[in-house]
Every structure is written in structure tokens, then in C-alpha cells.
């Protein structure tokens, strides 16, 4: 029987998920809230505020929604999945208690300590004076992280004690009650991301990727939500993936189960491959953006039954099939991103999608029938091809056919992989 799905979110990640869900033979109707013009090509957009849990539950009841797929972390940390589960509506995404793996760095660090999961040594502080004294005693380089969701901006990798101490001051500057910082040892090594689908018990490896966090070529400039990505990660060999599952992901799921807060959904492990082996940098409780774009471009299996099993049943025995071809996505951002950007600049007609190539919409909107930029990260030129070099060439060929003078992109996405 066809399954009607509601997808929550409006970014490039959600366009990629919607595009892939649409290809399913098991999908009935696809709704998205709030969605974007790209998502509107494959789904019906609904005006629902994901923060209004009662309204989302009412909509799902009215439309007999068989599965809700939550894209971003904010509604998960706010408990949208709990409200849906209490109402008996299947949902792909963790409970608020399980979403603490992303929502609270302190929570995750304590879990790592309890379960012996390799990660940077750390201390938590709720007081600036003590944090600064600890930093002075440890010396630099050292890492300071604000607790709580920070959209990728809460981390300072400080090369001096002064820089680290001033990051601590910034965290406490607001004067809010209950603020915490985590001060960590600085690890070194290449980084890679491992995505795992989880049903509360089992972790199913669901692709690897590497992203590009800095705004400009050569990894210069400020940190962003991600300027491009490729999959698979050459660093995540089958052996490395198995080791990360064994030493990091499975003990995490066990710890969550022991606390009575099992994790269902996608667990995205940001890893540093140090000389001593893989170590956890951080968890996210959702797909990466733009990593989802390259994963969906490579996934050959039907996504609907896989997400439904993760949401309501067991992933035992599921073996997702992936294209052997690598995929690359290049983010086109509005000039000024990650700082202030101008909204409403016009974008010309986008190149049509073809087999193995598509421009996903992220922050776009329609104004009087014209496509305009409506955010920082606006479009994701995404392509798959026989090798990384060809996938890069194909993704940039798409970029070059996009007519948007107010946008910019990095020109070196995936060059690390091409060698
Ligand atoms: P996060 O937001 O936690 O992913 O951190 C952003 C970036 O900061 C990571 O991708 C790493 O490059 C860097 N980072 C975070 N924690 C550490 C650490 N303990 N040692 C070195 N680099 C780190
Ligand atoms: N691209 C990084 C993230 O989604 O957190």
C-alpha cells in the first residue's frame, strides 16, 4: 500500500530527500512543510509551523500520514518526534532526549566518558573564571565549544591561550543563566563523516562523506554550514568504518538504550582520524547539509522502506545499495555568506536535471513567478560520475550554467579526493 509522507524542512538536504523519496514505488502523496520551490516540484507544500507540534499532529491525522521525516535538528531537539510518537504517528528522527547527542555537547562528552568512546579529553565549565584558569594551565592549542545548538558557529579552535580565553568570554557575554562551555584537547588528523541509520538497537552504516566547512578556496575564511561535499570518503575504508562502528557508534547506541532513551533516526558522526585511530569530534542527529545531497545522489535502494523500518521496526537484514560512482555537490551561496546577505536577488532559469545531475534548491523562493535567493546557502549543483575527477567536472559544468551574479562558490570542492 502506498505510504503518504510529510517531510519537515526547507533546505538543500530536504530537497535531496524529497527528490529521492519521490522515486519510491512505495510513496503515495508527499507533503513538505515549509519546503522550497525545488521541493514544490516533487511534493505538495503545506503551511505548517514545525514548532507548533499540535498543528503538525492534526495535519498528520487529517491526511492519514504514514511517516514523518524530519530534516533539521531544531524541531528534533524541540521534541517534535515525541509529540508525533505520542499521537501514534510514525516518525523518522530521534526523541528530544536522544537528540541531546547534538543538542548538548556536554551530554555527549559525558556519555563518551561513561562508555569509553574515543574523543578529545575535555572539561565542562559553567563559570568563566574557572574555564580560563583551566585553559591557562593546559596551554594552547586548545578548543572551546559553547554548549547547545550553534549552527556550526559555536566552536573555536584556538592557537593561543588568549584566543581561547576570549572565546570563553564570548560564550558568557550574554549573561544568561545556565550557560556552559566545553574545553577540549585539540586533536589532529583528517576529518570524515559517517552516517548511520539507527532503530534504537542496530546501527546500519549509511554512507560516508567529506565536507568543506570554510567559506573560501584553500580552506580559508570563516566557518560555514558547509560549502560542498563528496561521497564516499576515501578515508573511510570498510575497515575504518567497521572500527568507528565498533568503537564509537555502537557503544553510543548502547549507552542511549541503557539510559532509557534509545536513538532512532540518523546519527551523523563527525570523526577525526588521529594517529591513535578514529575519534569522535561531534554527533549530529540528522543528515548533513550538503552531505545528504551526495548520499541521495548515490543511493540506489528505495529510501521509503528503509526510513520506515528505522522509524518503526528493525533495520536487521537491510542492505542498502549504492552507486559505485562518487558524487560531488557544490554550494552556491549569496555573496557575503556566512555574514549578512542580500535576499531577493534574481536567479536565471536553472539547468534541467539529467541522469546523475541536478541542482538542488536550498534558500530559494519564488517572487512574482521569478526564482530569487532567500538565504545564505541557495543552490547545490550536484553530480555523479565514473570517478571523482569527472564528478567534479560535471558538478562545475552545472555551476557554470547557473545565471546568478549575486552568488559565489568555492572552486576546489573535492579536489582533496581527486589528488
Ligand atoms: P564541530 O562544530 O564540533 O563539528 O566543530 C567544527 C570543527 O572544529 C570541526 O570540524 C573540527 O575541524 C574542529 N574541531 C572541533 N573539535 C575539535 C578538537 N577537539 N580538536 C581539533 N579540532 C576540532
Ligand atoms: N555540513 C555540516 C552539517 O550538516 O552539519
Amino acid at each position: 500500500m502506498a505510504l503518504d509522507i510529510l517531510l519537515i524542512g526547507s533546505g538543500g538536504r530536504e530537497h535531496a530527500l524529497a527528490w529521492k523519496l519521490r522515486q519510491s514505488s512505495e510513496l503515495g502523496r508527499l507533503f513538505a512543510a515549509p519546503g522550497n520551490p525545488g521541493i514544490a516540484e516533487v511534493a505538495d507544500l503545506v503551511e505548517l509551523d514545525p514548532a507548533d507540534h499540535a498543528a503538525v499532529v492534526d495535519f498528520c491525522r487529517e491526511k492519514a500520514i504514514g511517516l514523518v521525516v524530519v530534516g533539521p535538528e531544531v524541531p528534533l531537539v524541540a521534541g517534535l518526534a515525541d509529540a508525533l510518537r505520542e499521537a501514534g504517528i510514525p516518525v523518522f528522527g530521534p526523541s528530544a532526549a536522544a537528540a541531546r547527542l547534538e543538542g548538548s555537547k556536554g551530554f555527549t562528552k559525558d556519555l563518551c566518558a561513561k562508555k569509553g568512546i574515543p574523543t578529545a579529553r575535555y572539561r565542562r565549565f559553567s563559570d568563566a573564571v574557572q574555564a580560563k584558569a583551566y585553559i591557562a594551565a593546559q596551554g594552547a592549542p586548545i578548543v572551546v565549544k559553547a554548549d547547545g545548538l550553534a549552527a556550526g558557529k559555536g566552536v573555536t579552535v584556538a592557537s593561543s591561550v588568549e584566543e581561547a580565553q576570549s572565546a570563553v568570554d564570548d560564550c558568557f557575554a550574554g549573561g544568561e543563566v545556565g550557560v556552559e562551555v566545553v574545553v577540549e584537547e585539540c586533536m589532529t588528523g583528517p576529518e570524515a563523516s559517517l552516517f548511520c541509520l539507527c532503530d534504537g538497537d542496530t546501527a546500519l552504516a549509511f554512507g560516508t562523506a567529506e565536507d568543506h566547512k570554510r567559506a573560501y578556496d584553500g580552506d580559508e575564511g570563516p566557518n560555514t554550514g558547509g560549502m560542498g561535499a563528496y561521497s564516499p570518503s576515501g578515508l573511510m575504508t570498510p575497515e575504518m568504518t567497521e572500527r568507528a562502528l565498533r568503537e564509537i557508534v555502537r557503544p553510543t547506541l548502547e549507552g542511549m538504550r541503557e539510559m532509557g532513551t534509545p536513538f532512532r533516526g540518523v546519527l551523523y558522526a563527525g570523526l577525526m582520524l588521529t594517529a591513535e585511530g578514529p575519534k569522535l569530534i561531534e554527533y549530529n542527529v540528522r543528515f548533513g547539509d550538503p552531505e545528504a545531497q551526495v548520499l541521495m545522489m548515490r543511493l540506489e535502494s528505495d529510501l521509503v522502506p528503509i526510513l520506515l523500518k528505522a522509524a518503526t521496526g528493525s533495520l536487521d537484514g537491510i542492505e542498502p545499495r549504492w552507486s559505485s560512482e562518487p558524487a560531488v555537490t557544490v554550494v552556491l551561496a549569496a555573496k557575503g555568506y556566512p555574514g549578512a546577505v542580500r535576499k531577493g536577488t534574481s536567479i536565471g532559469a536553472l539547468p534541467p536535471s539529467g541522469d546523475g545531475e541536478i541542482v538542488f534548491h536550498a534558500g530559494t523562493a519564488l517572487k512574482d513567478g521569478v526564482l530569487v535567493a532567500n538565504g545564505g546557502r541557495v543552490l547545490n549543483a550536484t553530480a555523479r560520475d565514473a570517478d571523482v575527477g569527472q564528478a567534479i567536472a560535471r558538478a562545475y559544468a552545472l555551476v557554470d550554467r547557473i545565471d546568478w551574479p549575486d552568488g559565489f562558490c568555492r572552486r576546489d570542492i573535492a579536489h582533496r579526493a581527486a589528488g
Side-chain angles (χ1 to χ4, degrees), residues 153-229:
K153 290 173 207 140
V155 177
T156 304
V157 181
S159 48
S160 71
V161 166
E162 293 69 33
E163 189 187 352
Q165 291 179 331
S166 114
V168 167
D169 284 333
D170 289 346
C171 292
F172 288 103
E176 298 129 68
V177 184
V179 174
E180 266 205 20
V181 297
V182 174
V183 180
E184 289 189 359
E185 161 204 6
C186 188
M187 305 184 286
T188 50
E191 293 179 38
S193 302
L194 171 63
F195 297 85
C196 296
L197 295 185
C198 307
D199 59 12
D201 292 314
T202 312
L204 173 70
F206 199 65
T208 62
E210 291 180 41
D211 73 351
H212 298 68
K213 287 200 163 74
R214 301 296 190 117
Y216 313 132
D217 284 16
D219 290 328
E220 301 280 342
N223 264 323
T224 71
M227 293 299 292

Side-chain angles (χ1 to χ4, degrees), residues 211 225 268 284 286 288-291:
D211 73 351
Y268 157 178
N284 296 308
R286 35 112 189 137
D289 189 346
E291 292 88 335

